[in-house]
Structures are given as structure tokens and as C-alpha cells.
Amino acid sequence: MTSWRVSSSAALPKWTREEFDSFNELKESNMAGRERKQTDTDKGIVIPDDWPGYPLALFTSPEHYCDDLDCVYIPHGVIMDRTERLARNIMDDLGDHDIVVLCVLKGGYQFCADLVDCIKVLCRHSNKTLPMRVDFIRLKSYLNDHSTQDLHIEGAENLSVLSGKAIVDTGKTMKTLLDHVQAFGPKMIKVAGLLVKRVPSGTGYLPDYVGFEIPNRFVVGYALDYNEYFRDLNHICVISERGKQKYKI
């Protein structure tokens, strides 16, 4: 926002009614809060459909998964850099608010923990502060590599402002969660999602803060699992067909 100093002897310009109304709207929009409007950059880093990933030999991973993965899709260092950027955006929007961070278990625990750590670092080196309480909710909607119609919700008795989820695909799970949280009457709800999948059956839901937009591939690692396996991977990887068959239930 640009400001002008006008001396008492200066001649003020004559504005039309339309110009005056436009100025007031601009002033109100700048003074009404620090929330950003969602732009193309808020879709996150868009990974194209033909992205092959990185060869496994370029990175380290647990030996017990050596034949169960196709590639490293998003390296851990890239995840951390992107998470730091999301933390800065959150500080810009929500700084000086008192919030509850609702971590969506189990797949969101690593992303949520790293995001909160980044926000804490920014609070120590900024004039702003963001007091946070952390609560947890557990969602379960996957069987093997398919999202099911059954959604189980455990927890979330407290109010939430910022909800951290690792992956959003069809958007149905997130809509159910938001309806559940909204019943507690929070002042506002913001969602941070590490991954958003491009899926044909998607609802078009887009979190307020997105790490990466990815093709419709089943990924594991960084706390994302396949039947509880692969949570101990640092990188986000694409599971192989051999891995799916090995850990199928």
C-alpha cells in the first residue's frame, strides 16, 4: 500500500464519485486483515504427469524397501524447503492470532510437526508471534491403495484454525473433516496440505496452503503409508507393483 503526505498548503485533487468509492474499497481491503488472496502460486509446486522421479540410487533409503519402490518422487530436502515457505505464508496471514493446529493422523504427523517447527523458528526471529496449541485427529479412509467410502474420525474435540493434512486427493475426506470441525464454531479454518492429487473424481477442493500438486500416483514415505508400511521413509516415493503385492492385506 502506498501512502502520501499532503501539506496544508497543497491543493487537493478533485475526484469523481467513482474514483472516491474505488479508493475507499482499496483502503478497506488493505486494512481488513493480512489474508492473501489465493493465486496460481497457491496451487503449490505443480509436478507434471510425465515426471519420472529420481533414480533410487541417487538417495539413501532403508534397505528393507530396496525392491519395493519405483523412484524418489520428492526428495526430503525439497519437502523441507517448501514447508518453510508455507510457514512464512501462514505467518503473513495468521501472525498475532491465537490458533489451534489440528494435526491429521496418521499420514499428516511428519508434515505437521515440521510445519510447526518452521513456524516456531519464524516466531523467534520476527516481530510477529503466532501462539499455537496442537491437537490431533485421526482419519482412516484407505484400504491398500484405494480410497474407500468409509471414513472413520477419532478425536477433534477442540477448535481448530489451522488443519495440517499430508495429502488431499478426491477432497471428500477433507470436506467431511471440515464439516466435523465447523460444528465446534471456530472463528476461522485454514487448511495446509502437503500434497494435492489431480484425480478425475476430485471435488476441486484446494487447501489454503499447498506444498505440491501431483499426478494421480500412489506415493509413500514422509509418514505416508501403504497398510502402515513406508512411514519410515524420509523421501516421498512411488511404490512399485512388487511393493503393493508384498504388503497387500
Side-chain angles (χ1 to χ4, degrees):
M1 180 178 178
T2 304
S3 60
W4 295 268
R5 175 182 290 180
V6 181
S7 67
S8 58
S9 60
L12 296 177
K14 293 182 178 179
W15 286 0
T16 66
R17 185 65 188 177
E18 290 77 15
E19 289 173 331
F20 184 77
D21 291 342
S22 178
F23 173 78
N24 278 335
E25 289 176 3
L26 176 63
K27 182 175 68 174
E28 290 172 2
S29 67
N30 279 288
M31 298 298 291
R34 302 186 61 85
E35 182 177 345
R36 297 172 299 111
K37 291 183 178 179
Q38 201 167 55
T39 64
D40 287 342
T41 59
D42 292 311
K43 295 179 181 178
I45 298 175
V46 178
I47 298 178
D49 291 338
D50 58 354
W51 169 240
Y54 297 97
L56 295 171
L58 296 178
F59 300 90
T60 57
S61 59
E63 186 65 24
H64 48 272
Y65 294 140
C66 65
D67 297 324
D68 304 327
L69 303 169
D70 277 340
C71 65
V72 173
Y73 214 53
I74 308 175
H76 182 258
V78 177
I79 298 170
M80 294 305 297
D81 280 358
R82 182 61 184 150
T83 302
E84 182 179 346
R85 177 71 260 184
L86 294 181
R88 289 178 181 272
N89 291 344
I90 291 168
M91 278 291 289
D92 288 342
D93 291 351
L94 303 180
D96 297 327
H97 283 76
D98 189 348
I99 71 170
V100 175
V101 179
L102 183 63
C103 177
V104 181
L105 300 174
K106 294 182 181 177
Y109 82 82
Q110 190 65 64
F111 170 58
C112 188
D114 288 337
L115 183 63
V116 168
D117 282 345
C118 288
I119 293 174
K120 289 193 298 186
V121 171
L122 291 174
C123 286
R124 292 199 300 267
H125 300 89
S126 172
N127 292 328
K128 285 186 176 183
T129 185
L130 189 61
M132 294 180 292
R133 291 170 289 157
V134 181
D135 209 338
F136 302 88
I137 186 171
R138 183 177 178 184
L139 304 180
K140 184 174 177 59
S141 62
Y142 268 85
L143 178 64
N144 295 320
D145 59 345
H146 292 89
S147 180
T148 67
Q149 296 297 319
D150 298 325
L151 175 65
H152 302 282
I153 301 179
E154 301 175 10
E157 284 76 18
N158 294 315
L159 301 185
S160 170
V161 168
L162 177 66
S163 176
K165 193 175 190 295
I167 188 166
V168 176
D169 42 29
T170 64
K172 297 175 183 177
T173 299
M174 182 53 66
K175 184 180 184 304
T176 302
L177 172 61
L178 292 178
D179 290 344
H180 183 78
V181 175
Q182 190 69 55
F184 295 94
K187 293 181 179 179
M188 77 174 93
I189 301 174
K190 297 291 184 182
V191 178
L194 178 62
L195 304 177
V196 172
K197 278 187 180 180
R198 296 188 295 273
V199 294
S201 58
T203 62
Y205 174 80
L206 189 67
D208 302 282
Y209 309 98
V210 179
F212 304 87
E213 181 186 293
I214 66 172
N216 189 19
R217 303 188 69 179
F218 195 85
V219 293
V220 294
Y222 195 67
L224 299 172
D225 76 304
Y226 179 81
N227 293 331
E228 298 302 324
Y229 292 94
F230 301 101
R231 295 193 196 276
D232 50 341
L233 276 171
N234 282 335
H235 313 295
I236 291 178
C237 301
V238 176
I239 187 174
S240 66
E241 289 301 320
R242 182 186 184 281
K244 290 181 182 180
Q245 293 303 316
K246 181 178 178 180
Y247 299 108
K248 187 176 181 179
I249 58 175

